[in-house]
Amino acid sequence: MNAVSIQHLVNVSGGKDSTAVYLRAIESGRPFRAVFADTGNEDQRVYDFIAELPHLTGGPVVETVRADFSRQLAQHRTYILEKWPQQGIADSIVQQAAALHEPTGNPFLDLCISKGRFPSRMAQFCTEELKTLPITLQVVGPMLKAGPVLQWLGIRAEESANRSKQPRFNRHESGSMVWRPIFDWSVEQVWAQHRKHGIAPNPLYALGMGRVGCMPCINCRKSELRNIADLFPDHIERIRQWEEIVASANKRRSATFFPAVTDPTDIDRPGSYSRIDTLVEWSRTARGGRQFDLFFQAQSGGGCTYDLGLCERSAA
């Protein structure tokens, strides 16, 4: 590859690691593009930080991509109207679900409506659908038509055991090459990079968040859920509304943002699945709930495990 012909693309999430990579790309003196995938499940401070970053550094504008599920929603709406009545589903349920299969403008919610469920650790389709594919189709693909593409990723080995096994440099299935320029950095080096450029960290860190990304992430820990509920109650209200919408849009008439597990401490609700309010209440206590503990305490701090590292992880 001729180094002069390579197009450089920095993936930006608004978190500390991708910001450090963006700053390193500026230091390299190479022209580069930067991209952020908006899931629709982000805190406003993330959008503000990303918008301000170019002004503070002199770097390129961070381009924003968003997934569009209009086609999937329309296809599923047609299926609902044609097939559900044949399955004996009440017309009132059919009509309500069909009416909800219109684009809301929020990628995360539209994805969940079209799937009839929320993502989970065992079916973690959110990163692929909301981040990887929009970046690949809307940015990387067109760039590849003009020549080789090198994606710069904010992945560090010390973030997790899985990430420590990733290579520094490899070919991605999109046809681009990917590079992890801060792979061997410590978190102290990441913060030093911010100070070197006079960049204050994303304010979410100062507000007590250990990671920046979806709020909440489907992989968040018990303590993180408690912090979000205490500091950012509007996000819990949004998830409460989403659970109602997604439940009304599927034939099961049920949807939980976190995996559908029964809390054995809820003896007055035998057999029912816990939605966001029950989990928030539980997160503020020291009490158990065997399934809850098994799920949440096994979390590695939030974030995805995809090789593109489009979601930040906090240290375990």
Side-chain angles (χ1 to χ4, degrees):
M1 255 186 218
N2 183 345
V4 176
S5 67
I6 296 175
Q7 303 168 90
H8 297 269
L9 178 66
V10 175
N11 288 281
V12 176
S13 69
K16 62 185 186 303
D17 296 328
S18 67
T19 299
V21 171
Y22 179 91
L23 297 173
R24 182 164 182 182
I26 292 174
E27 291 175 344
S28 75
R30 301 183 180 96
F32 70 94
R33 293 172 65 180
V35 63
F36 164 69
D38 178 13
T39 67
N41 187 24
E42 316 275 347
D43 185 84
Q44 182 59 44
R45 295 166 187 83
V46 172
Y47 303 123
D48 294 343
F49 181 83
I50 289 173
E52 189 66 15
L53 192 58
H55 302 294
L56 297 174
T57 63
V61 170
V62 181
E63 304 167 37
T64 297
V65 297
R66 293 166 64 92
D68 181 359
F69 298 100
S70 299
R71 178 180 56 82
Q72 293 93 325
L73 289 167
Q75 289 178 339
H76 198 222
R77 181 171 61 251
T78 298
Y79 177 85
I80 289 170
L81 292 171
E82 292 181 354
K83 301 298 183 181
W84 282 19
Q86 299 174 15
Q87 299 169 10
I89 297 175
D91 183 65
S92 59
I93 294 176
V94 171
Q95 296 303 320
Q96 182 184 34
L100 287 169
H101 278 70
E102 294 287 348
T104 67
N106 186 294
F108 196 103
L109 179 57
D110 285 350
L111 172 63
C112 296
I113 292 173
S114 70
K115 293 280 190 181
R117 56 167 296 181
F118 290 95
S120 68
R121 291 183 72 187
M122 300 304 293
Q124 194 164 304
F125 49 78
C126 46
T127 303
E128 178 75 10
E129 297 274 4
L130 297 171
K131 294 194 173 188
T132 304
L133 284 176
I135 290 175
T136 299
L137 296 176
Q138 298 178 40
V139 179
V140 176
M143 289 178 71
L144 284 169
K145 294 179 180 179
V149 175
L150 179 65
Q151 296 196 65
W152 297 42
L153 312 179
I155 291 179
R156 295 182 299 110
E158 75 172 21
E159 291 179 274
S160 71
N162 284 337
R163 291 197 170 183
S164 68
K165 299 173 185 176
Q166 294 185 12
R168 291 288 299 266
F169 185 85
N170 67 280
R171 185 177 184 84
H172 187 255
E173 60 184 12
S174 65
S176 67
M177 302 301 292
V178 295
W179 180 38
R180 301 161 180 82
I182 64 169
F183 188 73
D184 58 356
W185 283 26
S186 66
V187 68
E188 289 78 13
Q189 288 175 289
V190 170
W191 293 130
Q193 179 80 329
H194 283 66
R195 292 191 296 271
K196 178 181 178 182
H197 289 265
I199 302 299
N202 188 310
L204 285 171
Y205 292 113
L207 290 171
M209 299 305 297
R211 53 172 290 279
V212 169
C214 283
M215 189 179 288
C217 172
I218 60 166
N219 289 323
C220 76
R221 285 181 170 178
K222 179 180 181 180
S223 58
E224 184 179 351
L225 178 60
R226 181 177 63 248
N227 287 342
I228 292 172
D230 291 343
L231 298 171
F232 315 106
D234 288 351
H235 287 289
I236 301 301
E237 171 60 26
R238 173 170 47 80
I239 298 302
R240 183 183 303 117
Q241 295 174 3
W242 285 4
E243 287 183 329
E244 291 292 340
I245 292 170
V246 177
S248 297
N250 68 56
K251 67 176 65 176
R252 299 183 309 278
R253 312 297 284 172
S254 175
T256 60
F257 185 82
F258 293 109
V261 294
T262 301
D263 180 2
T265 64
D266 287 343
I267 57 175
D268 58 326
R269 303 167 52 251
S272 64
Y273 291 131
S274 298
R275 290 192 177 185
I276 189 65
D277 289 324
T278 299
L279 283 164
V280 166
E281 179 184 359
W282 167 79
S283 75
R284 289 170 169 157
T285 72
R287 69 185 175 93
R290 188 173 306 167
Q291 281 90 345
F292 282 1
D293 274 341
L294 284 175
F295 172 74
F296 279 92
Q297 300 309 328
Q299 303 291 58
S300 55
C304 70
T305 57
Y306 280 72
D307 59 351
L308 286 183
L310 297 171
C311 298
E312 184 185 302
R313 300 183 75 91
S314 59

